Amino acid sequence: MAMTLEQLGAFVETVKKGSFKQASIKLGKHTSTVSGLIANLESELGMALFTRKPRSLEITEQGKEIYRYAQSVIRECDLLDVKANSLLEGLPSIFTLAIDSDLMGPDISGLCAKLLAKFPSIEIRILSLDPMQVRSHILNEQADIGFGITLFRGHHELTLADGYSFNVVFAASPQLDYKEKFVSLEEVRGMLQVSALFMKQLDQDDTHNLSSRTIYSNNLRSSCDLIKYVAAWAMLPEFICKEDIESGILDKMYLSPTASERPNTWSTEISWLTAKPRNPVMNYVIEELAKLPNR
């Protein structure tokens, strides 16, 4: 059997368009050429793919079965062509992004969609981790690019680039009755705080922990959920708890008289191994992450 891709392409396009003439326009061929290609395909297969009527074509039952397989063959050939081109361009087969789970959202989903559109042959892996794991995965070469909340210190093996910034608020359980109130440090010390575990792991808990009693969490979204049920407060990204504060599920309190005018801000960082050669995929992801607006 010596069928060709040209024959299969003519057949698939004719099924889609419903006639040799419309398929020929789409393919940029003469109508007689398209009908000839399909006639040769039918000869190779030993079956009729269409019932030819004076003014129309009707695909046969056997033709419907062949159509499904023909589509698959053409699709795989297109992917093969894309893959071959990507290899010639020196693109990796797999790209892994390690991302702080607290930063997952529509902007990251949108980035993945653009990445797939630009590099369709690449297998993309998204790892949702805590901030310390993001850095660990880059250092251990388990991921190509890391994106997480800034860890407030560099690493000699990593190159770091600035990501977006975001406001941080002091969110509290309504049980504490501190809604829109200024709370003194003396009062805060007696309250229960849900604190970010990565701050303790970085020995930054002295600057982050303001209360004498602390619960540690390695996920800020989990911290937000926790203070809905426990009489405690937490320092949280505003984009995580804003909806709960606006709906009254959580309260916002202030530790500084000017906090409502000058909110506290944290930032994100993009990281990769300095010794690892950057490829076009890495460059694209770094550029796109750097473009994300502040939250």
Side-chain angles (χ1 to χ4, degrees), residues 35-53:
S35 63
L37 286 168
I38 293 175
N40 291 336
L41 178 60
E42 290 175 316
S43 178
E44 289 291 339
L45 294 171
M47 66 181 71
L49 300 175
F50 294 104
T51 299
R52 292 158 174 80
K53 297 182 179 181

Side-chain angles (χ1 to χ4, degrees), residues 40-270:
N40 291 336
L41 178 60
E42 290 175 316
S43 178
E44 289 291 339
L45 294 171
M47 66 181 71
L49 300 175
F50 294 104
T51 299
R52 292 158 174 80
K53 297 182 179 181
R55 294 188 179 182
S56 65
L57 285 177
E58 184 177 314
I59 189 169
T60 64
E61 289 302 315
Q62 290 177 320
K64 291 178 182 178
E65 291 294 316
I66 294 298
Y67 176 67
R68 292 193 300 110
Y69 284 93
Q71 282 184 305
S72 297
V73 170
I74 292 172
R75 185 163 48 247
E76 290 300 317
C77 284
D78 289 341
L79 290 174
L80 177 61
D81 187 51
V82 170
K83 183 62 179 179
N85 288 332
S86 72
L87 291 173
L88 289 173
E89 294 171 7
L91 301 179
S93 297
I94 300 172
F95 172 79
T96 304
L97 173 63
I99 183 166
D100 187 331
S101 58
D102 291 319
L103 304 182
M104 291 295 293
D107 48 2
I108 299 302
S109 299
L111 169 59
C112 290
K114 291 197 289 186
L115 188 59
L116 283 170
K118 189 171 182 64
F119 305 102
S121 69
I122 293 177
E123 178 183 314
I124 299 174
R125 299 178 181 178
I126 306 297
L127 306 180
S128 180
L129 308 164
D130 69 38
M132 295 299 289
Q133 290 173 329
V134 169
R135 180 164 288 192
S136 174
H137 272 62
I138 299 300
L139 290 171
N140 294 328
E141 298 188 62
Q142 294 173 284
D144 299 290
I145 297 291
F147 184 54
I149 292 177
T150 298
L151 296 184
F152 304 103
R153 63 173 62 172
H155 191 285
H156 68 282
E157 293 184 50
L158 296 179
T159 298
L160 303 178
D162 293 334
Y164 62 76
S165 298
F166 54 88
N167 291 338
V168 175
V169 299
F170 299 97
S173 165
Q175 299 177 54
L176 297 176
D177 193 26
Y178 279 114
K179 183 175 182 178
E180 297 295 328
K181 293 180 180 178
F182 168 67
V183 186
S184 68
L185 289 178
E186 288 74 15
E187 290 177 285
V188 169
R189 289 192 184 97
M191 297 159 58
L192 178 63
Q193 178 181 355
V194 180
S195 182
L197 180 61
F198 74 89
M199 288 291 192
K200 180 177 179 64
Q201 294 169 323
L202 291 169
D203 295 324
Q204 297 285 331
D205 47 330
D206 286 345
T207 60
H208 181 71
N209 293 352
L210 303 178
S211 298
S212 58
R213 297 182 299 141
T214 307
I215 299 174
Y216 287 101
S217 171
N218 72 338
N219 182 284
L220 295 175
R221 295 183 188 275
S222 296
S223 299
C224 182
D225 289 335
L226 188 60
I227 61 175
K228 294 175 186 178
Y229 302 96
V230 177
W233 72 277
M235 196 181 302
L236 297 173
E238 188 172 28
F239 65 82
I240 286 179
C241 59
K242 183 177 181 180
E243 186 175 326
D244 288 327
I245 290 174
E246 290 178 346
S247 63
I249 297 175
L250 293 176
D251 291 339
K252 182 194 290 188
M253 65 183 194
Y254 302 101
L255 300 189
S256 165
T258 60
S260 59
E261 288 79 27
R262 292 188 176 184
N264 188 17
T265 60
W266 287 359
S267 60
T268 59
E269 64 182 22
I270 309 161

